[in-house]
Amino acid sequence: MRQASGVPTALFFLTSALGVGTAYLAYAGGGLTAAIWVEGLFLTCAVLLGTATKVASQWERAVVLRLGRFRALRGPGLFFIIPIVDAIAYWIDIRVITSSFKAEKTLTKDTVPVDVDAVLFWKVVDPEKAALDVEDYGNAIAWASQTALRDVIGKTMLADMLEGREKISRELGRIIDERSQPWGINVISVELKDVLIPASLEDAMSMQAQAERERQARIILGDSERQVAEKFKEAARTYADDPAAFHLRAMNMLYEGLKQNSTIVVVPSTAVETMNLGGLAGTTALALQLAKARAPKPAVVRPAA
């Protein structure tokens, strides 16, 4: 809401006070009739001066009409008009204005009802056109934004709307700017705040996303198995060319198993024979020696002297 300036009121009271002083001097010199005429003259001048004086803020422009025709734009600062002849039709705010608009239950291109909330950033760049070429530029830009939003939703798939908000915002800004340029309005940007879809569709999309994640997990697991198999194949070729390396690797695996677990380890007799451990008895002896090495030693108690 526009705030009224105190300058016209101050000028009115200042002129009236000056008239009272002048009327007193006239009364002392010429009588009551002269004082009344002087006071009436100063009061009329005070009313005209207060009416003719206007003050526009830095962000305001005044559209002045003279006898119904456009005269000029005034502001910012102090300016004067001719009372009765001139009139201020509009006070135009040239700052950036934000307007929220939305489209409820609008069908997308794939026939999905959505509720979309958006915010429009715009400003008046030509106050003359905004005042003379459209009745109410605020309502005009609001209706233009809402109809443009419905048009864009009807031409867009739901997936594209959820993923490409920036693209939709740019398209909305272009359409609204084309419609509002004849009104002297420039659209700065459009931002989509929220896109609401039915709850049942949200559940279905959630299940679809979960299934997609499971599919990706299975694909990654299968690819990992393939890579492991390839590495085993390369290792097999290496051990085939070097039997000593294969025997050392087998003995190391057996040692690690016996070291970590004190339970019975089942080893095929053919594997024991290839490692040249002296048969099954040698393997058992090796296991016993490892178990004794891990067993805690009993404390020695010495009698007191």
Side-chain angles (χ1 to χ4, degrees):
M1 181 179 294
R2 182 179 182 274
Q3 297 180 354
S5 175
V7 175
T9 305
L11 290 177
F12 172 80
F13 283 109
L14 182 62
T15 307
S16 299
L18 183 61
V20 170
T22 307
Y24 178 77
L25 295 176
Y27 175 75
L32 181 60
T33 303
I36 293 176
W37 278 101
V38 170
E39 180 62 25
L41 179 62
F42 272 88
L43 184 60
T44 303
C45 291
V47 172
L48 293 177
L49 183 61
T51 307
T53 305
K54 303 294 180 182
V55 178
S57 301
Q58 182 65 37
W59 58 86
E60 290 179 330
R61 299 295 183 270
V63 180
V64 180
L65 301 181
R66 176 166 294 178
L67 298 177
R69 301 185 63 180
F70 175 75
R71 172 62 180 172
L73 289 174
R74 293 288 185 264
L78 179 67
F79 64 95
F80 299 92
I81 63 173
I82 301 175
I84 302 175
V85 177
D86 293 343
I88 297 180
Y90 295 100
W91 292 91
I92 306 295
D93 193 332
I94 62 173
R95 293 176 295 182
V96 176
I97 302 174
T98 58
S99 301
S100 60
F101 60 100
K102 60 183 179 180
E104 297 180 352
K105 304 301 180 183
T106 305
L107 294 179
T108 61
K109 188 175 181 180
D110 48 351
T111 65
V112 177
V114 295
D115 297 341
V116 180
D117 294 336
V119 178
L120 175 67
F121 298 87
W122 58 282
K123 66 180 299 184
V124 178
V125 294
D126 192 339
E128 181 180 350
K129 289 183 178 181
L132 303 180
D133 293 350
V134 62
E135 180 182 3
D136 188 343
Y137 63 88
N139 286 334
I141 194 70
W143 284 109
S145 303
Q146 189 173 17
T147 54
L149 179 59
R150 290 182 177 274
D151 292 341
V152 171
I153 292 174
K155 298 177 182 178
T156 308
M157 303 291 288
L158 178 62
D160 297 337
M161 183 175 299
L162 296 176
E163 297 176 359
R165 292 192 179 188
E166 294 182 358
K167 181 180 179 181
I168 297 176
S169 298
R170 289 194 300 269
E171 181 67 15
L172 270 175
R174 183 188 63 81
I175 296 175
I176 299 172
D177 189 57
E178 289 180 355
R179 296 181 181 180
S180 60
Q181 277 185 356
W183 307 332
I185 295 174
N186 179 33
V187 175
I188 299 174
S189 65
V190 180
E191 300 292 339
L192 293 183
K193 292 194 300 182
D194 198 6
V195 178
L196 301 178
I197 60 178
S200 58
L201 184 58
E202 288 184 2
D203 296 339
M205 294 177 65
S206 177
M207 295 175 61
Q208 180 182 2
Q210 183 177 359
E212 180 66 20
R213 287 193 294 269
E214 291 181 357
R215 185 180 70 87
Q216 292 292 337
R218 292 179 181 274
I219 292 176
I220 294 173
L221 179 60
D223 187 67
S224 301
E225 293 290 342
R226 180 184 59 81
Q227 295 179 7
V228 170
E230 291 178 354
K231 294 300 180 181
F232 280 158
K233 186 177 180 180
E234 293 178 3
R237 285 198 297 266
T238 302
Y239 290 140
D241 297 335
D242 193 349
F246 177 71
H247 291 163
L248 290 174
R249 178 57 180 162
M251 294 176 67
N252 178 260
M253 292 175 63
L254 179 59
Y255 172 75
E256 293 293 335
L258 293 172
K259 182 176 68 173
Q260 295 178 2
N261 301 316
S262 60
T263 58
I264 298 175
V265 178
V266 180
V267 182
S269 59
T270 55
V272 174
E273 293 175 356
T274 56
M275 288 185 282
N276 298 323
L277 294 178
L280 184 59
T283 306
T284 305
L286 177 62
L288 291 175
Q289 291 297 327
L290 289 173
K292 290 181 180 179
R294 288 194 301 267
K297 296 181 179 179
V300 179
V301 180
R302 295 181 178 179

